[in-house]
Amino acid sequence: MNTEVITTRTAKISQIAEEILRVEVLESSDVKEEDALENYLACKKMARGRKVAILIDSRTQTTASNEARAFSSGAEVSKLVIARAILIDSLAVKLLGNFYILVNKPHSPTRLFKEEKEAMVWLEESIQNSNRYHSSFNTFAPK
């Protein structure tokens, strides 16, 4: 497993399991579209060509522009992301997270969690489901 940590202007990104990255949003970050792109590129580098699940720790005081939210939920990012679990700790963050999911409609499965342990279980199940889907698809693919 990769022990590298990449710190961008708005996040600290690390690998916490074979197919799971952790994106810890830095305190008082104002995430713009270019920050979302920088974070995506850092995740892509850590993923080393594989699709990964992402645990986003947003339990800090932070904001994100409409453009950053649109990019993060878009098709380009979904090529990298199997599923995304967002950690929350307050009603305000829960409302913002639900707004993001309902309005931006991420292309990858996305859920909010208060407990990191529950988020990790869901991400691991999402990875297993994704691997099962792709392995069964390959079974029927012509050689």
Side-chain angles (χ1 to χ4, degrees), residues 1-6 12-24 42-48 50-55 116 120 127:
M1 186 170 71
N2 185 358
T3 59
E4 177 183 18
V5 175
I6 299 175
K12 186 166 50 171
I13 301 153
S14 58
Q15 185 175 4
I16 57 173
E18 190 59 37
E19 295 179 89
I20 302 176
L21 301 181
R22 178 187 188 90
V23 176
E24 183 180 339
C43 288
K44 189 173 180 180
K45 178 182 176 187
M46 288 199 132
R48 294 187 169 96
R50 300 172 297 149
K51 284 189 85 161
V52 293
I54 298 184
L55 176 69
E116 187 166 339
M120 289 295 291
I127 291 166

Side-chain angles (χ1 to χ4, degrees), residues 67-86:
E67 295 81 10
R69 288 191 303 270
F71 176 80
S72 295
S73 63
E76 182 66 27
V77 173
S78 74
K79 292 176 189 174
L80 172 69
V81 178
I82 295 169
R84 165 183 9 218
I86 303 172

Side-chain angles (χ1 to χ4, degrees), residues 74-132:
E76 182 66 27
V77 173
S78 74
K79 292 176 189 174
L80 172 69
V81 178
I82 295 169
R84 165 183 9 218
I86 303 172
L87 295 175
I88 60 168
D89 66 352
S90 69
L91 180 58
V93 176
K94 181 179 181 178
L95 292 173
L96 289 171
N98 281 325
F99 179 81
Y100 167 75
I101 293 168
L102 291 172
V103 172
N104 294 103
K105 298 180 181 11
H107 289 232
S108 304
T110 303
R111 285 189 52 194
L112 305 176
F113 293 89
K114 283 188 173 186
E115 299 297 325
E116 187 166 339
K117 186 176 180 180
E118 291 175 21
M120 289 295 291
V121 168
W122 181 76
L123 288 173
E124 289 165 0
E125 288 171 355
S126 297
I127 291 166
Q128 289 173 355
N129 290 338
S130 174
N131 290 341
R132 252 186 299 212

